[in-house]
Amino acid sequence: MNLYGISSILTAITSLSMAVFVYARGRNKLARIWSAFAASASFYGFGAFMVTSAQSAQQACFWWQVAYIGIILLPFIFVLLAYEFLNIHRPRVIKFFGFCTFIFLAANFFSRKLFIKDCTLYFSDMPTVKPIYFVYPGGLLLYIFILFAFFGWVTYAHLELIKNYRKIGILKRHQIKYFFFAAALGFIGGGASFLPCFGISFYPLLNFAVPLYFIIMSYAIMRYNLIDIKVAITRTGIFIAVYTLVLGLPFAVTAGMKNWLISIFGANWVIFPLLLMVILATAGPFIYISLQRKAEERLLREQRSYQDILRQTAMGMTRIHNLQQLLDLIISAVTANVRISHSAVYLHDAGSGKFILKSGSNLKPGQPDSIGKEDPVIRWIRKERKPLVYEELKQGVLDNPDPVLKEIVEDMRDLRAAIILPSFLEEKLLSLLVLGDKLSAKIYTPEDLNIFSILADQTALAIESALLYENIEEQVRKRTKELLEVQKQLVHAEKLATVGTLAGGVAHEINNPLTAVLTNVQMLLSTPNNLDTDSKESLELIEEATKRCRTIVQKLMAYAKKPLEAATPAKTVDMFNATLNVVTFLKYQLEQENIKIVTQAKEGEYLVTGDQSELEQVLTNIILNARDAIKQVKKSGLINISFSKDSKFVKVRVKDDGPGIPKEIMHKIFDPFFSTKDVGKGTGLGLSICQAIIEKHNGAITVASEPGKGSTFTINIPVVELKSGKENKA
């Protein structure tokens, strides 16, 4: 079986195909150098294959001369490849290596004694393989070439790659991993073919690794968005293992069981290994695919996990109507799950045309807060409509020093962007998602970019939906506010007009009859001797009721700023007793609604000057408001009333554990007709009247509130001024 011939023709076909493919697809110098390298390898593969068909040493030497054209060129071109990849310029080294290469080529063609002296037949003692002519003995320059050029220059090139590993970008670091992995396959596999040149009879099965070398290296040269190197190694390992089984098992059966098979099948014994080869060759691809899938599931478990999370996030984004929450969700999902150094979202501003930084994670202080609408990055994205990958563009600048690409690379460096993902809605560019490097130092794979593209598309839809929702919500809020303001003004005007009209009517229609009634009752009561007991009691009740009606009319007229008579004379009032009267009056009602009321006083008396009924009215209103606030959010609560005083003021604090008062309406609560209660449940006059009463007593009423923690109303009234003589105490 001519295994060396099979591996050689595979090398020739693979390397020549890769040379043509890369040259046709590649647009840079690196691709052209690699094409020359692969073409040189095809000379080796073709010459070595022809050697396996040679019938004499003379024919074999000729085909080895053809093969060595490619072999001699390989180390020199590989050094050029490494220099170009690392952007190293060493013309003297290149000239020296070039001169040596020319000497080796000249010796190969024109001096058999210095290079290929003769060929010797190897492996004739191995019944399972075909004997092959290898160069042996070789000339002095052949051994110098093998040791100094082939292994020496290749080693030198790899040392340069190692030395510059930390100085290059993350993408090239990843490509270097391919270089080393491929070199381990290619140069070791191909180098094994030199062993017979030193008189070592070792069958070069490792030559099968050479075509894999060219496939892997071509992939690394052509693709900037690469698969993980672990995946490449795993795929290659599985491929080698499976096809070693496919090719090796029939070979082993033929070598070890030939005599036994002849004894059973006779002259047709060869059918069994051929049948086995057909079965294994048929099953091989299925075995390879199955093992590859399982291996990749294990290796890429973390990557595919975050890709699934991002996919689910993308699908659920359109349900979020708050724009800022949406942008924060995108940032947190990408940063946490992909595990990147930082991220940012820039949103298009319709007014300025700029893209404004709206959300970010782990951003440094120098992060730009906007991107201009005419920046090169924006112009390029609008034209190409695809993500920007920093390493790709950086490599593009090295290959083609386009000033526009240079500006884009500089902009991305300022943004600290490894990738910029645009979100388009039809022709409209809505946002840019800026992603930093992965914390694992791995590159972004094509699968990552596919998932990010889905995320970008869904982001565009979600942003448009959120903007539309916020716009509608803002318009509704604005219109509602305007309507409420108009309604409030109308109601206010109507109520004021009604109060004014009512006050005027009361003055003319009620006050005079009340005065007449009160006067006549008092005249009758002035002659008690003419009255029996029942009549006297009835008249007293009429007098009391009439006075109450007059007091109500006077208060209404006072609020309408049309006082009918002088205010009630001030008396000394104990605020603690006045509060107890109110608490006693309201306690049963509050207990029925599971509201507990507590009073706290350290001293015995808290004396002020004023009208006790009015002060009780203030306390009643504040306590009932506290009850209503508590009942808005829970079924039970606590109202705490505390007292304190100093040399100037008595302070009464009424604190509840309700929802509190929003800051935006705090300044309105003492306005006439302002109410937070439902229509029909409040007039909006309570706190306004309370403030008027307290100010009438030369005091002040204030409120402190924190949303979610309740409100505290504080009443400050001047302490009673003690004078000589008797005080009329209520």
Side-chain angles (χ1 to χ4, degrees):
M1 187 176 292
N2 192 359
L3 294 177
Y4 185 70
I6 294 172
S7 64
S8 298
I9 196 63
L10 283 175
T11 298
I13 294 171
T14 304
S15 58
L16 186 61
S17 300
M18 292 297 103
V20 173
F21 176 73
V22 173
Y23 186 81
R25 294 286 299 277
R27 299 177 182 177
N28 52 44
K29 189 176 178 181
L30 185 70
R32 292 194 296 270
I33 295 173
W34 174 251
S35 297
F37 184 79
S40 300
S42 69
F43 270 91
Y44 156 68
F46 178 71
F49 172 72
M50 295 304 295
V51 165
T52 61
S53 303
Q55 301 299 315
S56 65
Q58 186 176 0
Q59 286 183 1
C61 287
F62 170 77
W63 287 115
W64 274 121
Q65 281 182 302
V66 174
Y68 267 93
I69 295 173
I71 296 171
I72 292 168
L73 290 172
L74 284 175
F76 174 62
I77 298 176
F78 190 79
V79 172
L80 294 178
L81 191 71
Y83 277 6
E84 180 63 26
F85 183 78
L86 298 171
N87 201 26
I88 294 174
H89 301 285
R90 291 178 185 166
R92 290 184 180 180
V93 175
I94 291 173
K95 287 178 181 178
F96 173 70
F97 286 176
F99 175 74
C100 293
T101 301
F102 175 77
I103 296 297
F104 293 138
L105 285 171
N108 179 45
F109 279 112
F110 305 112
S111 179
R112 288 276 300 269
K113 291 182 180 180
L114 289 175
F115 211 80
I116 298 177
K117 281 187 176 181
D118 201 357
C119 289
T120 302
L121 192 65
Y122 277 86
F123 316 121
S124 56
D125 57 339
M126 296 176 64
T128 56
V129 296
K130 182 180 179 180
I132 306 169
Y133 284 99
F134 276 91
V135 176
Y136 183 77
L140 177 62
L141 282 180
L142 174 65
Y143 295 116
I144 292 174
F145 165 75
I146 293 172
L147 298 175
F148 172 65
F150 190 86
F151 288 108
W153 295 358
V154 170
T155 302
Y156 164 76
H158 280 88
L159 289 175
E160 287 290 344
L161 291 170
I162 293 171
K163 187 170 67 175
N164 290 276
Y165 182 79
R166 295 292 177 188
K167 301 177 184 178
I168 58 179
I170 187 171
L171 182 65
K172 285 195 172 183
R173 290 184 198 174
H174 203 72
Q175 286 178 317
I176 284 177
K177 295 176 185 178
Y178 280 84
F179 270 70
F180 281 107
F181 173 57
L185 289 174
F187 282 103
I188 295 174
S193 300
F194 288 125
L195 292 177
C197 298
F198 293 89
I200 301 172
S201 181
F202 178 82
Y203 195 87
L205 274 174
L206 293 176
N207 203 51
F208 278 102
V210 178
L212 288 175
Y213 169 76
F214 285 98
I215 294 172
I216 294 169
M217 286 292 287
S218 297
Y219 185 81
I221 293 294
M222 288 302 300
R223 292 298 300 271
Y224 292 123
N225 301 317
L226 303 174
I227 60 173
D228 196 288
I229 185 65
K230 292 181 182 178
V231 178
I233 293 172
T234 303
R235 288 177 180 174
T236 305
I238 294 171
F239 180 84
I240 292 172
V242 170
Y243 285 95
T244 297
L245 177 67
V246 171
L247 298 174
L249 191 57
F251 175 75
V253 169
T254 303
M257 303 174 63
K258 180 178 178 181
N259 294 332
W260 181 75
L261 290 171
I262 291 173
S263 66
I264 296 177
F265 297 103
N268 296 322
W269 70 274
V270 75
I271 294 175
F272 182 79
L274 287 174
L275 183 62
L276 180 61
M277 182 178 291
V278 170
I279 294 171
L280 290 175
T282 303
F286 298 101
I287 297 172
Y288 171 72
I289 292 170
S290 176
L291 293 176
Q292 175 188 318
R293 186 183 296 113
K294 290 180 180 179
E296 289 184 10
E297 283 177 359
R298 182 177 293 272
L299 286 173
L300 301 176
R301 184 181 302 159
E302 179 183 348
Q303 178 178 321
R304 289 180 177 169
S305 173
Y306 74 66
Q307 288 174 353
D308 288 340
I309 292 172
L310 291 181
R311 193 180 288 108
Q312 292 169 9
T313 302
M315 295 300 107
M317 284 192 306
T318 52
R319 294 195 293 267
I320 300 176
H321 294 146
N322 184 288
L323 182 59
Q324 192 58 49
Q325 287 181 3
L326 171 66
L327 299 178
D328 292 342
L329 170 68
I330 294 168
I331 288 297
S332 61
V334 174
T335 306
N337 292 295
V338 186
R339 297 185 67 247
I340 57 178
S341 59
H342 62 279
S343 60
V345 171
Y346 288 82
L347 190 66
H348 181 253
D349 179 63
S352 64
K354 293 181 178 181
F355 288 81
I356 310 299
L357 177 62
K358 289 294 185 180
S359 183
S361 174
N362 302 327
L363 299 179
K364 289 186 177 179
Q367 184 76 22
D369 56 7
S370 67
I371 305 173
K373 61 181 178 180
E374 294 300 325
D375 275 17
V377 166
I378 302 300
R379 291 202 305 268
W380 190 93
I381 286 176
R382 280 184 170 142
K383 179 182 177 183
E384 300 294 332
R385 298 178 64 89
K386 66 179 183 179
L388 280 169
V389 181
Y390 177 75
E391 290 293 341
E392 281 189 14
L393 293 171
K394 187 178 176 184
Q395 182 63 39
V397 169
L398 294 176
D399 297 336
N400 177 23
D402 185 343
V404 175
L405 285 181
K406 263 188 168 181
E407 290 181 6
I408 294 173
V409 168
E410 289 174 4
D411 284 352
M412 291 189 72
R413 192 182 296 118
D414 293 340
L415 290 167
R416 297 172 59 228
I419 289 181
I420 297 180
L421 293 163
S423 293
F424 282 94
L425 188 66
E426 295 179 351
E427 298 299 320
K428 186 179 179 182
L429 178 59
L430 292 180
S431 68
L432 300 174
L433 178 60
V434 174
L435 304 181
D437 294 324
K438 289 185 179 181
L439 296 176
S440 62
K442 295 179 180 178
I443 65 167
Y444 290 98
T445 67
E447 290 184 357
D448 288 335
L449 293 179
N450 289 337
I451 295 299
F452 290 151
S453 296
I454 295 172
L455 182 67
D457 292 341
Q458 293 298 319
T459 297
L461 292 172
I463 288 174
E464 184 70 9
S465 174
L467 286 171
L468 181 62
Y469 185 86
E470 286 194 353
N471 186 40
I472 293 173
E473 193 176 49
E474 180 61 29
Q475 288 184 5
V476 170
R477 192 184 300 115
K478 185 178 178 181
R479 295 295 184 190
T480 303
K481 185 178 179 181
E482 291 174 355
L483 288 172
L484 288 175
E485 286 295 326
V486 172
Q487 183 184 26
K488 185 177 77 172
Q489 292 171 8
L490 290 173
V491 172
H492 191 184
E494 184 181 350
K495 287 185 176 180
L496 286 176
T498 302
V499 169
T501 302
L502 181 62
V506 167
H508 295 288
E509 302 296 333
I510 298 178
N511 196 59
N512 290 335
L514 283 176
T515 302
V517 171
L518 185 60
T519 301
N520 284 289
V521 168
Q522 288 175 342
M523 289 177 63
L524 291 172
L525 287 173
S526 64
T527 55
N529 297 329
N530 298 329
L531 301 173
D532 56 28
T533 304
D534 291 340
S535 298
K536 184 179 180 182
E537 288 179 359
S538 297
L539 289 172
E540 287 175 348
L541 287 173
I542 293 172
E543 181 186 30
E544 182 181 352
T546 305
K547 287 180 178 179
R548 285 174 60 192
C549 290
R550 185 181 65 179
T551 300
I552 292 171
V553 170
Q554 288 173 347
K555 287 180 180 180
L556 182 60
M557 295 302 296
Y559 186 78
K561 298 185 179 179
K562 294 182 180 180
L564 297 179
E565 55 186 76
T568 304
K571 299 178 182 179
T572 300
V573 179
D574 187 342
M575 286 299 292
F576 182 72
N577 287 335
T579 303
L580 288 180
N581 291 341
V582 173
V583 170
T584 302
F585 178 69
L586 297 175
K587 188 173 183 180
Y588 177 78
Q589 180 183 352
L590 294 173
E591 285 178 350
Q592 295 301 309
E593 299 186 25
N594 294 318
I595 305 294
K596 185 178 181 181
I597 187 165
V598 176
T599 56
Q600 296 176 333
K602 294 181 179 179
E603 301 181 28
E605 293 182 327
Y606 296 88
L607 302 179
V608 298
T609 301
D611 186 329
Q612 180 161 335
S613 64
E614 289 184 341
L615 294 173
E616 288 178 358
Q617 180 184 350
V618 170
L619 290 167
T620 300
N621 197 293
I622 293 174
I623 292 171
L624 291 177
N625 280 349
R627 176 204 64 184
D628 293 340
I630 292 171
K631 297 299 286 183
Q632 285 179 4
V633 293
K634 49 187 177 179
K635 295 181 179 179
S636 61
L638 175 67
I639 299 173
N640 188 292
I641 304 174
S642 60
F643 297 83
S644 64
K645 69 178 180 178
D646 53 28
S647 60
K648 294 183 178 180
F649 292 97
V650 169
K651 297 183 179 181
V652 183
R653 291 184 178 87
V654 181
K655 177 177 174 55
D656 65 68
D657 58 356
I661 303 170
K663 291 182 180 179
E664 56 269 20
I665 66 168
M666 187 86 76
H667 65 286
K668 298 180 180 179
I669 61 173
F670 293 109
D671 292 350
F673 306 113
F674 178 82
S675 176
T676 60
K677 298 176 183 178
D678 295 337
V679 177
K681 293 187 177 180
T683 63
L685 287 172
L687 288 177
S688 177
I689 292 174
C690 290
Q691 186 181 50
I693 291 172
I694 297 300
E695 288 177 351
K696 173 185 168 183
H697 286 72
N698 298 318
I701 180 170
T702 59
V703 62
S705 181
E706 187 175 347
K709 295 186 178 180
S711 304
T712 302
F713 283 83
T714 303
I715 300 170
N716 292 282
I717 301 179
V719 175
V720 66
E721 295 181 6
L722 296 176
K723 299 179 181 179
S724 59
K726 277 189 176 183
E727 288 286 345
N728 188 13
K729 185 175 179 180

